[in-house]
Amino acid sequence: MKIIGTVTMPVAIVGVVLMQLLRTDVHPLVPALQSTWLHVHVTLAMLAYAACALSFALAMMFLIKDKMKNRNLPGSDQLVRRRNLFGVLTRFEKMGRV
């Protein structure tokens, strides 16, 4: 887990330094954006990003957990290859190329 810190800390430091160096002028919004719907849009967009990040994190946790179990059945790779080959061949047969 130390590798995560070695990646995230430099990114965080660069972000903080850039925030200090960039302009901080605040300008009012153009009239087209001065609407109640802007607040609704921003709220829903943030919720969507949060849901996407949460689903990504849960999917990664599931994949890591599944990899740790390593419960591959004997011969399952061969079965998957046969099914894929059968699917490809029947697809080309339907197209009239085999």
Side-chain angles (χ1 to χ4, degrees):
M1 286 302 182
K2 290 182 181 181
I3 190 113
I4 294 173
T6 60
V7 173
T8 56
M9 280 306 290
V11 172
I13 291 171
V14 168
V16 169
V17 169
L18 286 177
M19 296 269 297
Q20 296 296 322
L21 296 177
L22 294 176
R23 296 183 343 181
T24 58
D25 300 340
V26 177
H27 302 287
L29 290 174
V30 294
L33 294 177
Q34 295 176 358
S35 170
T36 307
W37 289 109
L38 179 66
H39 300 292
V40 174
H41 170 76
V42 171
T43 302
L44 291 177
M46 292 301 294
L47 288 174
Y49 277 116
C52 184
L54 181 63
S55 66
F56 172 76
L58 290 174
M60 292 305 293
M61 287 172 40
F62 173 76
L63 290 174
I64 291 170
K65 179 182 170 189
D66 194 44
K67 184 72 173 170
M68 296 268 195
K69 281 185 180 177
N70 198 8
R71 58 176 184 185
N72 291 337
L73 298 174
S76 64
D77 291 338
Q78 188 177 13
L79 180 65
V80 169
R81 283 192 208 117
R82 285 182 185 166
R83 281 191 292 171
N84 289 343
L85 181 62
F86 178 74
V88 169
L89 290 177
T90 56
R91 176 71 178 157
F92 285 127
E93 185 179 283
K94 288 178 186 176
M95 294 171 72
R97 295 186 184 173
V98 172

